[in-house]
Amino acid sequence: MSSAKEDRKEGEVVELARRRGFLWPAFEIYGGAAGFYDYGPLGALLKRHIETEWRRFYGIGEGFYEIEATTIAPKDVFEASGHLKSFADLAVVCKNCKSFFRVDDELNINKKCPGCGGELVEAGELNLMFQTRIGVSKGESAERDQKKSEGYLRPETAQGIFINFQRLIRFNRDKLPLGVIQIGKAYRNEISPRKSLIRLREFTMAEAEVFVDPREKNRHPKFDTVKDIVMKLVPGEGAEVEKSLEEAVRSGLIANEYLGYHVVKVGEFLERIGIPKDRLQFRQHRKDEMAHYARDCWDAEFLSDRYGWMEIVGVADRGDYDLSVHAAFSKVDMSVHTEVEGEAAAEKVVPHVIEPSFGIDRIFYALLESSLYNEQVGKEKRKVLRFKSEIAPIKAAVFPLLNRDVLKEKAKAVVQILRDESVFAEYDGSGSIGRRYRRQDEIGTPYCITIDYETLEDGAVTIRERDTMKQVRVPIADIKGFIAEK
RNA sequence: GCGUCGGUGGUCUAGGGGUAUGACUUGGGCCUUCCAAGCCUACUGCCCGGGUUCAAAUCCCGGUCGACGCACCA
């Protein structure tokens, strides 16, 4: 087990995921399409378990409300949000010096490179939103209708929350802070999607938008519960540091308590689902890489064997950017009349937004990679996915020790007992017992249950634990409890 | 988007102008009282389109997908 990580081969994760039904390239029979993946049976289970833990963490743990907004929105939304600003702009690249330029009034494809005078070639559209039409346009007014009918697939889930803000704040009886979460698909027409799940054209985001009175950004009510947690922080400028949250916020490295609280919480969540802390760091965006809406942004990065440090979560302080632009474009008041402790009078303020934004697919990849171990067992190798029990796709597999009808029937009966108790269990009677253990190891099933002749007499089974390969004898009635305890 | 290299059963692979090698996996059977054992048996393949040729998996062109580099990544 000690050298397991060193044994891990690059690329093996993706191969395993494909072979065992976690993840498949989409549209394979038609030649495929870059940037699209389908989740197979085990992948869909694993992904859903990640999402369930996320809902538990933010929905129940933080008391945030989940909504489900549309994935398509009319042009107005993205005109206001700023996402459309560069629509239809072409990018060009200089053949000679490889400099990259945006095509605009000053510069077009027929001109020479402003840097070196070299020839320019087209390098794609800069706006990455998928465009569509809402409704039918026909007849004489087609052109005008088409303009009205322009719609886009959302490039982030967040806008669905912002545009519902006046509804949401009323729902919350006009009180701040207010946390709203959403899990769903987002779409970006990437110029060059690559690296399996790392850059997709259709992907799943889980986002929380935390609305807070700007005067209270430095008074998070639960700050004390997390202030001593130490994180590896990489500032936008300067060297990486290990600091407690309290030190990071007091020194001004992290802008305020709310942002800091959520940075810590992101780390807590990632560890909870099984991503090792020593593979995590938080990196602050430099000014020049910040999104158009962000004031400060910290990425949670995962250290991948294959891809190096990669962003899996972003925590942004979006300030009042989104509510202000939607208020301006829609003419709907997005301010809240609130009172703040210690301030004399109630005041109308536009709330600020702290946004932890999770790339579920990337987290899925990080989890697969960091859970995969190659081990030597006797003369054989075993591949094992050490998923936490709660997120493993399949909780238990039940085997007859021998290929005999009485044992097979008993094993199938035990599977049904577990299913009736809401334990996701599977039957496997093919091949040798060792082969069946290996099969389950490779998909991360934490418990294998074996039925033997003694079971028929004493009603007890052998449970073999995935990571230790130890076996214990447990009465059938206690299986669920045994599994739950661990 | 550009450039380089590549694509052979589910996976990995040999070969390479005359429809293809081996291993593993998978299904069925025998054997087997706990960690990929053994034996028998079965299924499955040359990325797509066009061209050259008597004949293309093989050569040529285009596309597509993938890896890597550049660029992009709200």
Side-chain angles (χ1 to χ4, degrees), chain A residues 27 48 52 71-72 94 107 126 130 139 143 155 181 195 256 262 267 279 311 337 344 355 384 406 420 431 437 439 444:
Chain A
F27 319 116
R48 202 177 70 225
T52 300
T71 59
I72 295 178
C94 171
L107 177 80
L126 268 187
F130 285 98
E143 205 168 305
I181 57 176
K195 295 176 177 174
N256 55 70
H262 283 288
R279 285 179 168 258
E311 176 196 351
H337 194 72
E355 176 199 68
V384 53
V406 274
D420 290 345
Y437 283 145
R439 259 186 216 134

Side-chain angles (χ1 to χ4, degrees), chain A residues 91-285:
Chain A
V92 290
V93 64
C94 171
K95 269 186 158 175
N96 185 38
C97 68
K98 307 289 182 199
S99 303
F100 196 85
F101 302 99
R102 181 177 294 242
V103 174
D104 56 25
D105 297 341
E106 299 291 310
L107 177 80
N108 65 59
I109 186 81
N110 299 317
K111 294 199 174 169
K112 297 291 178 194
C113 171
C116 70
E119 192 189 342
L120 297 172
V121 290
E122 230 176 78
E125 250 174 29
L126 268 187
N127 194 284
L128 301 176
M129 284 197 293
F130 285 98
Q131 189 181 24
T132 187
R133 299 253 164 232
I134 300 171
V136 187
S137 332
K138 54 180 180 182
E140 285 175 11
S141 57
E143 205 168 305
R144 196 193 63 217
D145 287 348
Q146 285 213 346
K147 274 197 172 147
K148 275 180 79 179
S149 72
E150 272 179 50
Y152 295 88
L153 273 65
R154 64 184 180 190
E156 58 173 7
T157 61
Q159 297 305 323
I161 295 175
F162 300 138
I163 61 180
N164 279 301
F165 181 72
Q166 24 97 262
R167 291 280 187 198
L168 288 161
I169 196 67
R170 183 152 308 156
F171 167 85
N172 205 42
R173 301 197 312 280
D174 290 333
K175 285 214 274 282
L176 289 172
L178 165 64
V180 182
I181 57 176
Q182 192 168 203
I183 299 180
K185 293 280 196 174
Y187 306 84
R188 294 181 193 177
N189 200 4
E190 297 285 353
I191 293 172
S192 165
R194 263 186 208 181
K195 295 176 177 174
S196 68
L197 293 184
I198 309 309
R199 198 185 309 170
L200 294 170
R201 288 183 164 137
E202 171 173 335
F203 53 100
T204 299
M205 299 180 93
E207 296 189 303
E209 309 300 329
V210 183
F211 298 96
V212 57
D213 189 314
R215 295 164 298 182
E216 292 199 302
K217 280 169 102 174
N218 261 318
R219 288 180 226 164
H220 194 288
K222 290 195 282 184
F223 189 74
D224 281 351
T225 63
V226 295
K227 66 181 170 59
D228 296 324
I229 292 174
V230 174
M231 293 170 291
K232 184 175 165 195
L233 299 170
V234 184
E237 316 290 336
E240 65 175 66
V241 289
E242 297 256 347
K243 269 191 176 169
S244 75
L245 175 62
E246 187 169 35
E247 289 171 323
V249 172
R250 299 295 169 242
S251 67
L253 179 54
I254 296 181
N256 55 70
E257 285 193 8
Y258 261 79
L259 184 60
Y261 176 83
H262 283 288
V263 167
V264 163
K265 280 287 167 181
V266 164
E268 198 181 300
F269 171 77
L270 294 173
E271 285 173 59
R272 176 167 303 181
I273 60 169
I275 294 180
K277 183 160 188 168
D278 62 9
R279 285 179 168 258
L280 288 175
Q281 69 179 15
F282 289 90
R283 193 176 69 80
Q284 185 177 37
H285 280 204

Side-chain angles (χ1 to χ4, degrees), chain A residues 464-484:
Chain A
R464 175 266 202 185
E465 205 271 331
R466 178 194 65 206
D467 295 344
T468 61
M469 296 191 285
K470 295 252 165 62
Q471 303 185 344
V472 263
R473 201 73 186 164
V474 176
I476 289 172
D478 297 346
I479 296 173
K480 188 186 178 177
F482 178 88
I483 290 174

Side-chain angles (χ1 to χ4, degrees), chain A residues 77-87 102 126-129 155-156 158-159 162 188 285-297 316-323 325-326 329 355:
Chain A
V77 172
F78 301 113
E79 217 148 38
S81 72
H83 287 97
L84 202 53
K85 208 169 43 191
S86 57
F87 177 70
R102 181 177 294 242
L126 268 187
N127 194 284
L128 301 176
M129 284 197 293
E156 58 173 7
Q159 297 305 323
F162 300 138
R188 294 181 193 177
H285 280 204
R286 294 183 312 273
K287 290 267 184 300
D288 61 346
E289 65 177 320
M290 213 98 79
H292 63 272
Y293 52 66
R295 300 187 164 195
D296 192 7
C297 186
D317 182 343
R318 296 177 75 131
D320 65 358
Y321 175 85
D322 300 278
L323 292 183
V325 293
H326 283 301
F329 273 74
E355 176 199 68

Side-chain angles (χ1 to χ4, degrees), chain A residues 216-425:
Chain A
E216 292 199 302
K217 280 169 102 174
N218 261 318
R219 288 180 226 164
H220 194 288
K222 290 195 282 184
F223 189 74
D224 281 351
T225 63
V226 295
K227 66 181 170 59
D228 296 324
I229 292 174
V230 174
M231 293 170 291
K232 184 175 165 195
L233 299 170
V234 184
E237 316 290 336
E240 65 175 66
V241 289
E242 297 256 347
K243 269 191 176 169
S244 75
L245 175 62
E246 187 169 35
E247 289 171 323
V249 172
R250 299 295 169 242
S251 67
L253 179 54
I254 296 181
N256 55 70
E257 285 193 8
Y258 261 79
L259 184 60
Y261 176 83
H262 283 288
V263 167
V264 163
K265 280 287 167 181
V266 164
E268 198 181 300
F269 171 77
L270 294 173
E271 285 173 59
R272 176 167 303 181
I273 60 169
I275 294 180
K277 183 160 188 168
D278 62 9
R279 285 179 168 258
L280 288 175
Q281 69 179 15
F282 289 90
R283 193 176 69 80
Q284 185 177 37
H285 280 204
R286 294 183 312 273
K287 290 267 184 300
D288 61 346
E289 65 177 320
M290 213 98 79
H292 63 272
Y293 52 66
R295 300 187 164 195
D296 192 7
C297 186
W298 287 83
D299 284 345
E301 295 186 324
F302 166 73
L303 180 56
S304 160
D305 291 328
R306 190 160 186 213
Y307 303 120
W309 287 105
M310 62 186 228
E311 176 196 351
I312 54 175
V313 184
V315 190
D317 182 343
R318 296 177 75 131
D320 65 358
Y321 175 85
D322 300 278
L323 292 183
S324 293
V325 293
H326 283 301
F329 273 74
S330 69
K331 310 279 194 285
V332 170
D333 186 9
M334 298 276 184
S335 62
V336 184
H337 194 72
T338 62
E339 289 178 43
V340 169
E341 220 180 296
E343 308 260 338
E347 221 181 297
K348 289 204 94 174
V349 296
V350 177
H352 281 206
V353 171
I354 304 296
E355 176 199 68
S357 173
F358 293 69
I360 295 295
D361 313 85
R362 290 180 177 188
I363 290 170
F364 180 100
Y365 176 83
L367 205 47
L368 270 184
E369 200 201 78
S370 60
S371 301
L372 180 61
Y373 290 79
N374 283 316
E375 297 178 0
Q376 195 74 29
V377 179
K379 286 182 191 156
E380 302 289 341
K381 285 229 155 114
R382 79 161 183 157
K383 275 189 181 60
V384 53
L385 280 170
R386 296 177 179 273
F387 292 135
K388 291 206 166 186
S389 186
E390 315 84 72
I391 68 149
I394 293 168
K395 294 289 176 288
V398 184
F399 313 145
L401 181 57
L402 293 171
N403 195 15
R404 301 278 180 268
D405 284 347
V406 274
L407 297 181
K408 289 200 275 193
E409 278 162 29
K410 188 67 181 172
K412 285 174 182 169
V414 169
V415 168
Q416 194 55 52
I417 289 169
L418 292 172
R419 287 179 177 170
D420 290 345
E421 291 174 333
S422 295
V423 175
F424 198 105

Side-chain angles (χ1 to χ4, degrees), chain A residues 14-35:
Chain A
V14 175
E15 186 272 322
L16 173 76
R18 199 184 326 131
R19 187 163 43 83
R20 299 311 305 266
F22 284 92
L23 200 64
W24 294 320
F27 319 116
E28 225 178 352
I29 65 167
Y30 290 110

